[in-house]
Amino acid sequence: MKFFFFHLMPYADLDLDYDKKHNSAWVTLPNTYFDPEKGHALYNRYLDEMELADQLGFDGVCVNEHHQNAYGLMPIPGVMAGALARRTKNAKIAVLGRALPLLNNPATVAEEFAMLDVMTGGRLIAGFVRGIGAEYHAWGVNPAISHERFHEAHDIIIRAWTEPGPFAYEGKHYHFEYVNCWPRPYQQPHPPVWIPSQGSRETIEWAADAKRKYTYLQTFSPVAALAHFMKLYSEAAERNGWTATPDHKGWSVPTYCAETDEIAYHEAKPHIENFINKFLKMPLEMLAPPGYQSLASVKAIRKAKESIRQNQTIDTLIEKGMFLCGSPATLREKIETAQDEIGFGNILNNLQFGTLPHDLVRKSTTLFAEEVIPHFRKKSAAAAAA
Amino acid sequence: MPGRETFETIAGCKTRIMRGGQGAPLLFLHGGSGASMWQPFMDKLAETFDVIVPEHPGFGGSDSPEWLDNIGDVAYFYLDFMEQLGLSGVHLVGTSLGGWIAAEIAVRDRHPLKSLTLVSPVGIRVKGVRKADIFLMSPEESVRSLFHSKALVDAALARTPSEAELDMAAKNRLTMAKLAWEPRLFNPHLYKWMHRIKTPTLIIWGESDQIVPPAYGPEFQKLIPGSKLETIPECGHVPQVEKPDVLAAKIIAFAGGVK
């Protein structure tokens, strides 16, 4: 199993009473809530945390892209990946991802990722996403054509990496006379592609296509949903004539590790609750603009009366397996149980979340690296020896 | 007397049409919430006209054709529609999104048209005058923004829509986004050619329209040569629901008077 340290880089200094005046930390929350001096300290602190993860032996570090919000301060994740490229030595750098449909020229992602891959000597993992629904409000791009643009943008990038340029691209939404990616990627034929999703059936089918075999990541979901969607992925792969391995599956989950379960619970509680109730807060109309999901998915959501507006507690998050929280022994057991049942080979731990301060991130990450990860390393080594 | 329902395949799109009354043809183009039901104002109009109420491609009981990408596609669809149904001397009436489509049709080919009535249309942008963000409103905010009358708001909020209605609303909303998300509710090139609308034109606005501010009315009037602008007091964005008799009387007086 491979372990990744996933940072969302929230604006942790957010005035948490913002929600007395505003209904979301996204899109419409005035940027006057952002203090650049505090932002300066946060960015540098967060990069330190990611560099620590590299030093502690994590297999990779992950960044991602979101726009116009306090939840994640990485509208251009390549800036962070670039900063990490030189300061990390061994860790893979996963950009999870760029939100392709938002772009007017997706070939720019082929260039950006190729630069990172060449700079790091092949440590890049390329993530492709559509962004969350709020991005379509923030960015103005039409959500009704989000899937079409995603597929075209993806095709442009993969072709730019694998076909000799220049070539012309003749799509419906994108048209280019010359696609000719300089530099070409270091990893051949191209960097590994990871697809994070909340469980869209269309996305799972697409990622599991025999032409692609992309690693599918289930993000911030109950463990039961994780099991369900990983099963769908395996089934789709079988239908397409190949067998998915653990490497094709990843689980992205907020994680907190402390000396005992009780200490972990009390230290994490306010910060994980801020994460879900303050930083992720948005109305359904913002989360799910028309066309972002298929009409069938919209109906399913309506029936489930699902809404992330309701306040949630650490207890429900732990109970549903949406948050890994506890002593090293507890985390070893929870991860092992889930892995045995579900068979994922990558776990992406959000070891900073919401307002969790630096000293606790450092403590939790170190403990996790020293007391949890080695257990699985030994297990893999034993399996390899056998 | 409800209009009779028929289906017609136009440009490969199976299209649901309601039709009732006798007289000169009046083609009614609905707004973003569709036209699933025959409404009282249609009855009023049907006393004077042959009222034809299609559902746009991508809305309600009509298909969502592959070719549907933008408002121009819908305008050309309706030129085909009028040709295929053999309609001439058409009184074209459009509300909101339908008003935009009507203007796009009239810019392309005014010859099938005898008159044009635009009811709180979208389709242009007046810089600095913001339309409501219909895609970010909660369902309750949407209802509150639609009407002037508190009684109508309360009645609408008290109703629980059926599953079928919710499905249709989701379909309509998807097509609305496809046509109008970006640029939001307008075609940046339409205003340049609205002088081509030489058809007699009446523009109608509810004075308390909170979706498209009434300040848009005079701008439409400036762009369409010889057009008239009338407003309806104590009326929001949907005069056909809020003031059906007033709206029908205005259309009948105007369209009926066009020689």
Side-chain angles (χ1 to χ4, degrees):
Chain A
M1 176 125 84
K2 295 197 171 64
F3 289 85
F4 291 78
F5 180 102
F6 192 170
H7 216 310
L8 298 172
M9 300 203 180
Y11 184 58
D13 287 311
L14 179 65
D15 171 4
L16 297 174
D17 284 335
Y18 82 85
D19 57 358
K20 291 184 177 146
K21 287 192 213 147
H22 304 280
N23 68 352
S24 177
W26 294 69
V27 186
T28 52
L29 180 66
N31 65 358
T32 45
Y33 278 83
F34 177 81
D35 177 336
E37 287 187 16
K38 289 177 176 167
H40 168 73
L42 280 176
Y43 273 138
N44 286 284
R45 175 197 139 188
Y46 291 160
L47 285 167
D48 288 346
E49 289 167 3
M50 300 191 80
E51 288 162 20
L52 173 68
D54 175 50
Q55 291 151 22
L56 288 170
F58 278 79
D59 295 284
V61 290
C62 313
V63 293
N64 75 351
E65 169 181 345
H66 288 297
H67 294 273
Q68 298 184 188
N69 70 91
Y71 166 92
L73 294 176
M74 288 185 283
I76 310 290
V79 171
M80 288 303 155
L84 290 164
R86 293 274 297 178
R87 296 281 297 237
T88 60
K89 297 302 172 205
N90 301 307
K92 300 273 184 193
I93 299 172
V95 184
L96 303 174
R98 292 305 314 271
L100 304 186
L102 304 185
L103 298 165
N104 289 327
N105 183 352
T108 188
V109 171
E111 295 173 335
E112 174 193 326
F113 280 1
M115 283 175 71
L116 287 165
D117 200 41
V118 173
M119 275 170 74
T120 58
R123 285 194 282 132
L124 180 85
I125 293 170
F128 298 141
V129 298
R130 291 192 297 126
I132 70 162
E135 254 80 64
Y136 292 80
H137 291 282
W139 216 245
V141 167
N142 196 332
I145 52 173
S146 154
H147 280 286
E148 290 179 8
R149 278 169 71 101
F150 178 84
H151 289 135
E152 285 195 17
H154 161 271
D155 293 349
I156 291 167
I157 294 164
I158 297 295
R159 286 185 58 191
W161 283 343
T162 55
E163 284 181 30
F167 61 84
Y169 183 81
E170 299 163 318
K172 176 176 170 186
H173 300 283
Y174 298 111
H175 333 271
F176 299 108
E177 288 301 310
Y178 304 103
V179 180
N180 191 14
C181 185
W182 283 78
R184 292 193 298 120
Y186 187 92
Q187 299 176 82
Q188 290 294 316
H190 61 75
V193 174
W194 285 12
I195 305 295
S197 171
Q198 285 262 296
S200 143
R201 189 171 277 267
E202 296 94 330
T203 301
I204 291 171
E205 288 285 334
W206 178 84
D209 189 281
K211 289 193 298 291
R212 289 181 277 269
K213 300 182 183 173
Y214 293 157
T215 294
Y216 175 75
L217 302 179
Q218 184 69 28
T219 58
F220 198 50
S221 304
V223 77
L226 173 74
H228 172 68
F229 293 122
M230 290 305 167
K231 185 160 169 278
L232 285 186
Y233 182 93
S234 292
E235 287 168 0
E238 291 297 333
R239 269 199 310 284
N240 294 327
W242 66 285
T243 299
T245 71
D247 282 348
H248 292 103
K249 300 171 186 177
W251 180 23
S252 170
V253 58
T255 305
Y256 189 73
C257 189
E259 297 80 349
T260 66
D261 286 352
E262 198 178 17
I263 295 172
Y265 179 94
H266 289 291
E267 286 180 344
K269 181 176 164 61
H271 307 296
I272 193 70
E273 290 180 356
N274 287 338
F275 168 72
I276 183 120
N277 297 325
K278 301 287 185 174
F279 289 90
L280 255 178
K281 183 180 171 66
M282 70 181 78
L284 190 59
E285 290 69 32
M286 194 181 276
L287 180 68
Y292 180 76
Q293 291 140 318
S294 67
L295 287 176
S297 303
V298 170
K299 195 178 166 76
I301 287 173
R302 198 173 70 224
K303 289 205 157 176
K305 293 201 170 22
E306 197 175 281
S307 165
I308 58 169
R309 278 175 292 180
Q310 288 149 353
N311 273 357
Q312 300 203 43
T313 64
I314 187 173
D315 305 274
T316 53
L317 294 173
I318 291 175
E319 187 193 313
K320 290 185 200 160
M322 295 175 79
F323 178 41
L324 289 176
C325 180
S327 69
T330 299
L331 295 190
R332 284 196 297 268
E333 190 210 320
K334 285 191 178 188
I335 294 170
E336 192 151 35
T337 306
Q339 193 198 16
D340 287 348
E341 185 195 324
I342 301 165
F344 50 85
N346 301 290
I347 186 162
L348 288 61
N349 304 100
N350 298 103
L351 283 146
Q352 195 284 334
F353 41 82
T355 45
L356 191 70
H358 181 61
D359 56 336
L360 294 185
V361 175
R362 201 180 164 85
K363 183 178 75 142
S364 163
T365 303
T366 306
L367 201 55
F368 188 83
E370 290 174 354
E371 305 279 333
V372 179
I373 294 178
H375 171 75
F376 293 91
R377 298 265 192 254
K378 278 181 219 142
K379 207 176 141 188
S380 323
Chain B
M1 171 87 177
R4 61 196 181 279
E5 182 185 74
T6 59
F7 287 86
E8 190 87 30
T9 299
I10 293 141
C13 173
K14 189 178 169 198
T15 308
R16 178 174 172 272
I17 302 165
M18 294 181 294
R19 190 165 185 170
Q22 286 188 339
L26 184 150
L27 178 58
F28 176 82
L29 302 181
H30 64 74
S33 48
S36 56
M37 309 269 284
W38 187 260
Q39 294 176 314
F41 84 98
M42 296 172 185
D43 265 335
K44 286 277 175 198
L45 293 174
E47 289 168 10
T48 308
F49 299 105
D50 169 14
V51 179
I52 305 159
V53 185
E55 285 185 295
H56 309 323
F59 281 85
S62 294
D63 281 354
S64 300
E66 280 292 316
W67 51 253
L68 180 63
D69 290 315
N70 58 50
I71 203 77
D73 294 328
V74 188
Y76 284 115
F77 165 86
Y78 277 115
L79 289 170
D80 274 10
F81 179 101
M82 288 187 281
E83 200 173 294
Q84 190 167 322
L85 268 64
L87 303 177
S88 60
V90 173
H91 297 290
L92 183 61
V93 178
T95 65
S96 191
L97 170 72
W100 179 9
I101 297 166
E104 297 273 1
I105 294 168
V107 160
R108 283 167 173 76
D109 186 359
R110 63 182 175 271
H111 297 99
L113 309 181
K114 190 161 185 192
S115 77
L116 177 65
T117 304
L118 306 177
V119 184
S120 30
V122 294
I124 64 169
R125 176 185 63 190
V126 180
K127 283 189 181 173
V129 184
R130 298 281 302 274
K131 297 166 194 142
D133 186 350
I134 56 169
F135 294 113
L136 203 47
M137 287 177 170
S138 68
E140 182 181 331
E141 287 169 328
S142 300
V143 168
R144 292 195 185 282
S145 306
L146 217 46
F147 303 107
H148 170 87
S149 149
K150 195 177 171 304
L152 282 175
V153 169
D154 292 343
L157 290 177
R159 251 189 102 248
T160 307
S162 69
E163 271 298 303
E165 284 172 327
L166 289 170
D167 285 348
M168 193 173 285
K171 176 179 176 176
N172 293 348
R173 196 170 161 80
L174 172 60
T175 305
M176 190 69 186
K178 197 172 229 192
L179 300 175
W181 184 279
E182 196 280 324
R184 187 60 60 86
L185 295 170
F186 80 110
N187 167 1
H189 305 288
L190 175 61
Y191 80 95
K192 295 185 271 185
W193 304 104
M194 279 165 69
H195 62 267
R196 289 178 51 80
I197 305 178
K198 298 194 174 82
T199 312
T201 299
L202 172 64
I203 301 152
I204 299 174
W205 230 283
E207 288 179 5
S208 343
D209 191 333
Q210 298 170 64
I211 304 285
V212 189
Y216 268 81
E219 298 298 325
F220 267 93
Q221 196 189 5
K222 267 187 243 164
L223 289 165
I224 303 175
S227 60
K228 293 198 294 180
L229 172 64
E230 294 184 14
T231 60
I232 304 179
E234 299 188 337
C235 181
H237 185 62
V238 283
Q240 68 274 25
V241 179
E242 187 145 23
K243 301 280 180 185
D245 293 350
V246 179
L247 178 69
K250 282 187 187 294
I251 294 170
I252 291 165
F254 167 70
V258 172
K259 294 295 167 232

